[in-house]
Amino acid sequence: MNHLTSVEIYIWNYLEENKAKIIQMTVAQIAESAHVSPSSIIRTLKKQNFFWFF
């Protein structure tokens, strides 16, 4: 995680802490719940090599 910005670290931690909750949510719903933009969610996942998720 050394290459993530502070916002991306926040997002990554949010995703880790809410795995059960977010599994059935869209990216837009996750972004709204985390109070960030959908593009920030996608960027964070790509940086963490979850690009195959999309």
Side-chain angles (χ1 to χ4, degrees), residues 40-54:
S40 294
I41 299 284
I42 293 169
R43 181 177 52 253
T44 301
L45 291 172
K46 285 183 178 181
K47 280 189 172 182
Q48 290 296 92
N49 292 320
F50 278 80
F51 55 87
W52 53 267
F53 182 79
F54 298 99

Side-chain angles (χ1 to χ4, degrees), residues 4 7 9 11-14 23-25 32 35 37 39-41 48 54:
L4 298 178
V7 171
I9 291 170
I11 291 168
W12 187 253
N13 289 334
Y14 180 86
I23 196 73
Q24 298 294 324
M25 297 171 74
E32 183 177 337
H35 306 290
S37 70
S39 59
S40 294
I41 299 284
Q48 290 296 92
F54 298 99

